[in-house]
Amino acid sequence: MTDFAAIAPLLEGQAIELPSWAFGNSGTRFKVFGTPGTPRSVQEKITDAATVHRFTGLAPSVALHIPWDLTDDWAALRAHAEEQGVALGTINSNTFQDDDYKHGALTHTDPKVRQKAIDHHFECIDVMHQTGSRDLKIWLAEGSNYAGQADLRGRQDRLAESLATIYERIGEEQRLVLEYKFFEPAFYHTDVPDWGTSYAQVAALGERAVVCLDTGHHAPGTNIEFIVMQLLRLGKLGSFDFNSRFYADDDLIVGSADPFQLFRILFEVIRGGGYGPANPDGHSDVAFMLDQCHNVEEKIPGQIRSVLNVQEMTARALLVDRVALASAQEAGDVLGAHEVFMDAFSTDVRADLAAWREERGLPAHPMRAYAESGYQQQIESSRVGGTQLSWN
Ligand code: AOS
Ligand code: ZN
């Protein structure tokens, strides 16, 4: 098996973008719990995200959500982020919290509603120019609840038209990233339910339109790593929204529900050339992001745990002896190939990673270091008054 020293350089430069909303309060439709120390402003969310980066070296940028993170001074917000040592990243649009969008936004039958949703995306693109963001990520809450309620084909055609109008506005260095989700909030049909629909829509737009794969957005039992392979093969895997799920879109800590699945996904990312340091130019076009909510656990350690899980499974996936694997596969050695794969998955890399971090001036054990740092106590005692941020 490949040893850790051989793969250590490949871990350099791993970057996992954090979602600003992970630092606000979240919950279910039953209850959103408040947590002491929760940010009251976008600035505080960014300060918390930068804290995750300081303890791990893994999270150099923060994804923003419009309108939740709106500010009237983008230059100041950008400067605040830079001061804290992070960059502003992906801009996420929102067409799911306005009464006009009850029956759709980009797919709505009323051209005025469609234009309103398109204008919102134009506003997001303007923001991207000010924040220096590359990606506009679109997740649509559109669909229907009852058979016969909507003209499925008409909605798909209107979606294509609306996306084309948005795509025309995307700058040379920017990308449109379309996320898919098989259900929720609509229960019968969703307008972008699967990777195939997302692929068909972005392929029609052009090169700078790609797919976002949220690991929580598949039916139980779906072979997600196969989708990863296929999208990379087609040159259309733009980004990941990493999280874990047991039942629905649970948005749990990535790697918590099924670490083996995360390993298999990361193996295909590496195999398909989607992992940055594996590419000759040191960068991959696949953005690693988290899309998570911390409903009952503390948010900052929740994010630290998440990026560490991605790093740990990346290291294990890099350990797969690809030469031995290929030769076993070619020889039809079923169990031999499986063993090569499982050997890497079963390797405990935690001590090696701790030493690797120390060599780079990072805490060997980021979770422990955060708990001992006093940061949590400090935000809990200083962030009193104001309104804690949530899904608004
Ligand atoms: C929703 O289910 C999607 O996963 C979105 O990516 C995301 O959670 C939402 O847009 C928050 O910005
Ligand atoms: Zn997502």
Short mmCIF file of all heavy atoms in Angstrom, two decimals, residues 3-16 56-58 266 270 275-278 282 288 307-319 349-350 352-357 359-360 362:
data_model
loop_
_atom_site.label_atom_id
_atom_site.label_comp_id
_atom_site.label_asym_id
_atom_site.label_seq_id
_atom_site.Cartn_x
_atom_site.Cartn_y
_atom_site.Cartn_z
N ASP A 3 2.43 4.69 1.16
CA ASP A 3 2.50 5.13 2.57
C ASP A 3 2.23 6.62 2.71
O ASP A 3 2.23 7.36 1.73
CB ASP A 3 3.80 4.67 3.25
CG ASP A 3 5.01 5.37 2.68
OD1 ASP A 3 4.83 6.29 1.86
OD2 ASP A 3 6.13 4.98 3.06
N PHE A 4 2.01 7.03 3.95
CA PHE A 4 1.55 8.40 4.21
C PHE A 4 2.54 9.44 3.68
O PHE A 4 2.14 10.47 3.12
CB PHE A 4 1.30 8.61 5.71
CG PHE A 4 0.63 9.92 6.00
CD1 PHE A 4 -0.75 10.05 5.97
CD2 PHE A 4 1.39 11.06 6.28
CE1 PHE A 4 -1.37 11.27 6.20
CE2 PHE A 4 0.78 12.28 6.52
CZ PHE A 4 -0.60 12.39 6.49
N ALA A 5 3.86 9.15 3.86
CA ALA A 5 4.87 10.13 3.43
C ALA A 5 4.71 10.43 1.93
O ALA A 5 4.92 11.57 1.49
CB ALA A 5 6.26 9.59 3.72
N ALA A 6 4.33 9.42 1.17
CA ALA A 6 4.20 9.62 -0.28
C ALA A 6 3.00 10.50 -0.64
O ALA A 6 3.03 11.23 -1.63
CB ALA A 6 4.08 8.26 -0.97
N ILE A 7 1.96 10.44 0.18
CA ILE A 7 0.77 11.22 -0.18
C ILE A 7 0.71 12.57 0.54
O ILE A 7 -0.08 13.45 0.17
CB ILE A 7 -0.54 10.44 0.10
CG1 ILE A 7 -0.69 10.09 1.60
CG2 ILE A 7 -0.59 9.17 -0.73
CD1 ILE A 7 -1.96 10.60 2.19
N ALA A 8 1.57 12.75 1.56
CA ALA A 8 1.52 13.98 2.36
C ALA A 8 1.56 15.26 1.52
O ALA A 8 0.76 16.17 1.75
CB ALA A 8 2.64 13.97 3.41
N PRO A 9 2.44 15.34 0.51
CA PRO A 9 2.47 16.59 -0.27
C PRO A 9 1.15 16.85 -0.99
O PRO A 9 0.81 18.00 -1.27
CB PRO A 9 3.58 16.34 -1.30
CG PRO A 9 4.36 15.17 -0.80
CD PRO A 9 3.46 14.38 0.08
N LEU A 10 0.40 15.79 -1.28
CA LEU A 10 -0.88 15.96 -2.00
C LEU A 10 -1.96 16.57 -1.11
O LEU A 10 -3.01 16.99 -1.60
CB LEU A 10 -1.36 14.62 -2.57
CG LEU A 10 -0.41 13.95 -3.55
CD1 LEU A 10 -0.91 12.56 -3.92
CD2 LEU A 10 -0.27 14.80 -4.82
N LEU A 11 -1.68 16.60 0.19
CA LEU A 11 -2.68 17.19 1.09
C LEU A 11 -2.54 18.71 1.18
O LEU A 11 -3.43 19.40 1.67
CB LEU A 11 -2.55 16.58 2.50
CG LEU A 11 -2.88 15.09 2.59
CD1 LEU A 11 -2.50 14.55 3.96
CD2 LEU A 11 -4.37 14.86 2.32
N GLU A 12 -1.38 19.21 0.73
CA GLU A 12 -1.15 20.65 0.74
C GLU A 12 -2.22 21.33 -0.11
O GLU A 12 -2.57 20.85 -1.17
CB GLU A 12 0.22 20.99 0.11
CG GLU A 12 1.41 20.37 0.77
CD GLU A 12 1.73 20.96 2.14
OE1 GLU A 12 1.11 21.97 2.52
OE2 GLU A 12 2.59 20.37 2.83
N GLY A 13 -2.65 22.44 0.35
CA GLY A 13 -3.55 23.24 -0.49
C GLY A 13 -4.97 22.74 -0.55
O GLY A 13 -5.78 23.27 -1.29
N GLN A 14 -5.31 21.71 0.23
CA GLN A 14 -6.72 21.28 0.22
C GLN A 14 -7.57 22.42 0.79
O GLN A 14 -7.23 23.00 1.83
CB GLN A 14 -6.93 20.02 1.06
CG GLN A 14 -8.40 19.59 1.05
CD GLN A 14 -8.62 18.15 1.47
OE1 GLN A 14 -7.99 17.67 2.40
NE2 GLN A 14 -9.52 17.48 0.78
N ALA A 15 -8.63 22.76 0.08
CA ALA A 15 -9.46 23.90 0.48
C ALA A 15 -10.92 23.48 0.51
O ALA A 15 -11.44 22.96 -0.48
CB ALA A 15 -9.26 25.05 -0.49
N ILE A 16 -11.56 23.70 1.64
CA ILE A 16 -12.97 23.34 1.79
C ILE A 16 -13.73 24.60 2.20
O ILE A 16 -13.47 25.17 3.25
CB ILE A 16 -13.13 22.23 2.85
CG1 ILE A 16 -12.25 21.02 2.48
CG2 ILE A 16 -14.60 21.82 2.98
CD1 ILE A 16 -11.88 20.14 3.66
N THR A 56 -7.51 24.69 11.57
CA THR A 56 -7.36 23.52 10.68
C THR A 56 -6.51 23.77 9.44
O THR A 56 -6.01 22.82 8.84
CB THR A 56 -8.74 23.05 10.18
OG1 THR A 56 -9.31 24.12 9.39
CG2 THR A 56 -9.68 22.70 11.32
N GLY A 57 -6.42 25.02 9.01
CA GLY A 57 -5.72 25.33 7.76
C GLY A 57 -6.44 24.79 6.54
O GLY A 57 -5.87 24.71 5.45
N LEU A 58 -7.70 24.43 6.70
CA LEU A 58 -8.41 23.75 5.61
C LEU A 58 -9.54 24.55 4.97
O LEU A 58 -10.11 24.12 3.98
CB LEU A 58 -9.03 22.44 6.14
CG LEU A 58 -8.07 21.30 6.47
CD1 LEU A 58 -8.80 20.19 7.23
CD2 LEU A 58 -7.44 20.75 5.20
N LEU A 266 -14.56 10.30 -2.50
CA LEU A 266 -13.27 10.99 -2.65
C LEU A 266 -12.32 10.18 -3.53
O LEU A 266 -11.52 10.76 -4.27
CB LEU A 266 -12.67 11.30 -1.29
CG LEU A 266 -13.42 12.44 -0.58
CD1 LEU A 266 -13.06 12.52 0.88
CD2 LEU A 266 -13.17 13.78 -1.28
N ILE A 270 -10.54 11.77 -6.87
CA ILE A 270 -9.10 11.70 -7.14
C ILE A 270 -8.85 10.96 -8.46
O ILE A 270 -8.12 11.43 -9.33
CB ILE A 270 -8.37 11.02 -5.96
CG1 ILE A 270 -8.49 11.90 -4.71
CG2 ILE A 270 -6.91 10.73 -6.30
CD1 ILE A 270 -8.22 11.18 -3.40
N TYR A 275 -9.41 16.32 -7.84
CA TYR A 275 -8.80 16.77 -6.58
C TYR A 275 -7.62 17.67 -6.90
O TYR A 275 -6.67 17.25 -7.58
CB TYR A 275 -8.36 15.56 -5.75
CG TYR A 275 -7.67 15.97 -4.47
CD1 TYR A 275 -8.37 16.68 -3.49
CD2 TYR A 275 -6.33 15.69 -4.25
CE1 TYR A 275 -7.74 17.08 -2.33
CE2 TYR A 275 -5.69 16.07 -3.09
CZ TYR A 275 -6.41 16.78 -2.13
OH TYR A 275 -5.78 17.19 -0.99
N GLY A 276 -7.68 18.90 -6.39
CA GLY A 276 -6.75 19.96 -6.75
C GLY A 276 -5.29 19.59 -6.85
O GLY A 276 -4.73 19.58 -7.96
N PRO A 277 -4.66 19.26 -5.73
CA PRO A 277 -3.22 19.06 -5.78
C PRO A 277 -2.80 17.92 -6.72
O PRO A 277 -1.64 17.82 -7.09
CB PRO A 277 -2.86 18.73 -4.34
CG PRO A 277 -4.00 19.23 -3.54
CD PRO A 277 -5.20 19.13 -4.41
N ALA A 278 -3.77 17.09 -7.10
CA ALA A 278 -3.43 15.98 -8.00
C ALA A 278 -3.22 16.48 -9.43
O ALA A 278 -2.63 15.80 -10.26
CB ALA A 278 -4.54 14.94 -7.98
N GLY A 282 -1.87 22.41 -9.99
CA GLY A 282 -2.11 22.61 -8.55
C GLY A 282 -3.55 22.96 -8.21
O GLY A 282 -3.89 23.17 -7.06
N PHE A 288 -14.78 22.19 -3.34
CA PHE A 288 -15.26 21.44 -2.18
C PHE A 288 -15.94 22.43 -1.24
O PHE A 288 -15.30 23.35 -0.76
CB PHE A 288 -14.08 20.82 -1.42
CG PHE A 288 -13.54 19.54 -2.00
CD1 PHE A 288 -13.66 19.25 -3.34
CD2 PHE A 288 -12.89 18.63 -1.18
CE1 PHE A 288 -13.15 18.06 -3.87
CE2 PHE A 288 -12.37 17.44 -1.69
CZ PHE A 288 -12.50 17.16 -3.04
N VAL A 307 -14.51 19.53 8.38
CA VAL A 307 -13.37 19.66 7.45
C VAL A 307 -12.31 18.62 7.77
O VAL A 307 -11.64 18.10 6.86
CB VAL A 307 -12.78 21.10 7.39
CG1 VAL A 307 -13.80 22.07 6.81
CG2 VAL A 307 -12.27 21.58 8.73
N LEU A 308 -12.18 18.26 9.04
CA LEU A 308 -11.21 17.20 9.40
C LEU A 308 -11.65 15.86 8.81
O LEU A 308 -10.82 15.07 8.35
CB LEU A 308 -11.08 17.08 10.92
CG LEU A 308 -10.45 18.28 11.65
CD1 LEU A 308 -10.43 18.02 13.15
CD2 LEU A 308 -9.04 18.57 11.14
N ASN A 309 -12.96 15.61 8.82
CA ASN A 309 -13.45 14.36 8.23
C ASN A 309 -13.13 14.29 6.74
O ASN A 309 -12.75 13.24 6.23
CB ASN A 309 -14.97 14.23 8.43
CG ASN A 309 -15.33 13.84 9.85
OD1 ASN A 309 -14.46 13.58 10.68
ND2 ASN A 309 -16.63 13.81 10.15
N VAL A 310 -13.30 15.42 6.05
CA VAL A 310 -13.01 15.43 4.61
C VAL A 310 -11.51 15.20 4.41
O VAL A 310 -11.10 14.40 3.56
CB VAL A 310 -13.45 16.76 3.95
CG1 VAL A 310 -13.02 16.80 2.48
CG2 VAL A 310 -14.96 16.94 4.04
N GLN A 311 -10.68 15.86 5.22
CA GLN A 311 -9.24 15.68 5.08
C GLN A 311 -8.83 14.23 5.34
O GLN A 311 -8.02 13.65 4.61
CB GLN A 311 -8.50 16.62 6.05
CG GLN A 311 -6.98 16.54 5.90
CD GLN A 311 -6.27 17.36 6.96
OE1 GLN A 311 -6.63 17.32 8.14
NE2 GLN A 311 -5.26 18.11 6.55
N GLU A 312 -9.41 13.66 6.40
CA GLU A 312 -9.04 12.29 6.77
C GLU A 312 -9.40 11.30 5.66
O GLU A 312 -8.61 10.43 5.29
CB GLU A 312 -9.74 11.92 8.08
CG GLU A 312 -9.21 10.63 8.68
CD GLU A 312 -9.89 10.31 10.01
OE1 GLU A 312 -10.22 11.24 10.78
OE2 GLU A 312 -10.11 9.11 10.27
N MET A 313 -10.60 11.45 5.11
CA MET A 313 -11.00 10.52 4.05
C MET A 313 -10.26 10.80 2.74
O MET A 313 -10.04 9.88 1.95
CB MET A 313 -12.52 10.59 3.82
CG MET A 313 -13.29 9.83 4.85
SD MET A 313 -12.76 8.10 5.01
CE MET A 313 -13.25 7.78 6.69
N THR A 314 -9.87 12.06 2.52
CA THR A 314 -9.04 12.36 1.34
C THR A 314 -7.72 11.62 1.47
O THR A 314 -7.23 11.00 0.52
CB THR A 314 -8.80 13.88 1.22
OG1 THR A 314 -10.05 14.54 1.16
CG2 THR A 314 -7.99 14.22 -0.02
N ALA A 315 -7.12 11.69 2.67
CA ALA A 315 -5.83 11.03 2.89
C ALA A 315 -5.98 9.52 2.65
O ALA A 315 -5.17 8.91 1.96
CB ALA A 315 -5.32 11.31 4.30
N ARG A 316 -7.02 8.94 3.20
CA ARG A 316 -7.21 7.49 3.02
C ARG A 316 -7.43 7.15 1.55
O ARG A 316 -6.92 6.14 1.06
CB ARG A 316 -8.40 7.01 3.85
CG ARG A 316 -8.17 7.12 5.35
CD ARG A 316 -9.00 6.07 6.03
NE ARG A 316 -9.62 6.55 7.26
CZ ARG A 316 -10.44 5.80 7.99
NH1 ARG A 316 -10.76 4.59 7.60
NH2 ARG A 316 -10.96 6.27 9.10
N ALA A 317 -8.20 8.00 0.85
CA ALA A 317 -8.45 7.71 -0.57
C ALA A 317 -7.17 7.85 -1.38
O ALA A 317 -6.95 7.11 -2.35
CB ALA A 317 -9.54 8.65 -1.11
N LEU A 318 -6.31 8.80 -0.98
CA LEU A 318 -5.03 8.95 -1.69
C LEU A 318 -4.12 7.75 -1.45
O LEU A 318 -3.22 7.47 -2.24
CB LEU A 318 -4.31 10.23 -1.21
CG LEU A 318 -4.89 11.56 -1.73
CD1 LEU A 318 -4.33 12.74 -0.94
CD2 LEU A 318 -4.61 11.75 -3.22
N LEU A 319 -4.35 7.04 -0.34
CA LEU A 319 -3.51 5.88 -0.01
C LEU A 319 -3.80 4.65 -0.87
O LEU A 319 -3.03 3.69 -0.85
CB LEU A 319 -3.70 5.50 1.47
CG LEU A 319 -2.99 6.39 2.51
CD1 LEU A 319 -3.35 5.93 3.91
CD2 LEU A 319 -1.48 6.36 2.32
N VAL A 349 -5.19 7.11 9.76
CA VAL A 349 -4.22 8.16 9.40
C VAL A 349 -4.18 9.28 10.44
O VAL A 349 -3.52 10.30 10.23
CB VAL A 349 -4.54 8.77 8.00
CG1 VAL A 349 -4.31 7.76 6.89
CG2 VAL A 349 -5.97 9.30 7.96
N ARG A 350 -4.88 9.10 11.55
CA ARG A 350 -5.02 10.23 12.48
C ARG A 350 -3.69 10.69 13.08
O ARG A 350 -3.43 11.90 13.16
CB ARG A 350 -6.02 9.87 13.59
CG ARG A 350 -7.46 9.83 13.06
CD ARG A 350 -8.43 9.38 14.10
NE ARG A 350 -8.13 8.02 14.56
CZ ARG A 350 -8.79 7.40 15.52
NH1 ARG A 350 -9.77 8.01 16.14
NH2 ARG A 350 -8.48 6.16 15.87
N ASP A 352 -0.68 10.30 11.77
CA ASP A 352 0.11 10.93 10.69
C ASP A 352 -0.40 12.34 10.41
O ASP A 352 0.38 13.26 10.19
CB ASP A 352 0.02 10.09 9.41
CG ASP A 352 0.90 8.84 9.49
OD1 ASP A 352 1.98 8.92 10.09
OD2 ASP A 352 0.47 7.79 8.96
N LEU A 353 -1.69 12.50 10.40
CA LEU A 353 -2.25 13.82 10.13
C LEU A 353 -1.91 14.81 11.25
O LEU A 353 -1.65 15.99 11.01
CB LEU A 353 -3.77 13.75 9.91
CG LEU A 353 -4.21 13.26 8.53
CD1 LEU A 353 -5.73 13.06 8.49
CD2 LEU A 353 -3.79 14.24 7.44
N ALA A 354 -1.92 14.31 12.48
CA ALA A 354 -1.59 15.18 13.62
C ALA A 354 -0.14 15.68 13.47
O ALA A 354 0.14 16.87 13.64
CB ALA A 354 -1.77 14.42 14.93
N ALA A 355 0.75 14.77 13.11
CA ALA A 355 2.16 15.17 12.93
C ALA A 355 2.29 16.12 11.74
O ALA A 355 3.02 17.12 11.80
CB ALA A 355 3.01 13.92 12.70
N TRP A 356 1.56 15.84 10.68
CA TRP A 356 1.56 16.69 9.47
C TRP A 356 1.12 18.11 9.82
O TRP A 356 1.69 19.09 9.39
CB TRP A 356 0.61 16.04 8.46
CG TRP A 356 0.51 16.70 7.12
CD1 TRP A 356 1.27 16.46 6.02
CD2 TRP A 356 -0.45 17.71 6.73
NE1 TRP A 356 0.85 17.25 4.97
CE2 TRP A 356 -0.19 18.02 5.38
CE3 TRP A 356 -1.49 18.38 7.39
CZ2 TRP A 356 -0.94 18.97 4.67
CZ3 TRP A 356 -2.23 19.32 6.69
CH2 TRP A 356 -1.95 19.60 5.35
N ARG A 357 0.12 18.22 10.66
CA ARG A 357 -0.37 19.55 11.07
C ARG A 357 0.67 20.28 11.90
O ARG A 357 0.94 21.46 11.68
CB ARG A 357 -1.64 19.39 11.93
CG ARG A 357 -2.86 19.14 11.13
CD ARG A 357 -4.12 19.12 11.99
NE ARG A 357 -5.09 18.32 11.29
CZ ARG A 357 -5.49 17.11 11.64
NH1 ARG A 357 -5.04 16.56 12.75
NH2 ARG A 357 -6.36 16.46 10.91
N GLU A 359 3.83 19.98 11.87
CA GLU A 359 4.93 20.45 11.00
C GLU A 359 4.57 21.77 10.32
O GLU A 359 5.45 22.52 9.91
CB GLU A 359 5.20 19.42 9.88
CG GLU A 359 6.06 18.25 10.31
CD GLU A 359 5.94 17.10 9.30
OE1 GLU A 359 5.67 17.36 8.10
OE2 GLU A 359 6.09 15.94 9.74
N ARG A 360 3.29 22.02 10.17
CA ARG A 360 2.85 23.25 9.50
C ARG A 360 2.38 24.33 10.46
O ARG A 360 1.71 25.28 10.07
CB ARG A 360 1.72 22.91 8.51
CG ARG A 360 2.29 22.31 7.27
CD ARG A 360 1.35 21.37 6.58
NE ARG A 360 2.09 20.69 5.51
CZ ARG A 360 2.85 19.62 5.71
NH1 ARG A 360 2.95 19.07 6.91
NH2 ARG A 360 3.51 19.08 4.71
N LEU A 362 0.19 24.10 12.76
CA LEU A 362 -1.24 24.00 13.12
C LEU A 362 -1.36 23.12 14.36
O LEU A 362 -0.48 22.28 14.62
CB LEU A 362 -2.02 23.35 11.96
CG LEU A 362 -2.16 24.18 10.69
CD1 LEU A 362 -2.55 23.28 9.51
CD2 LEU A 362 -3.20 25.28 10.88
#
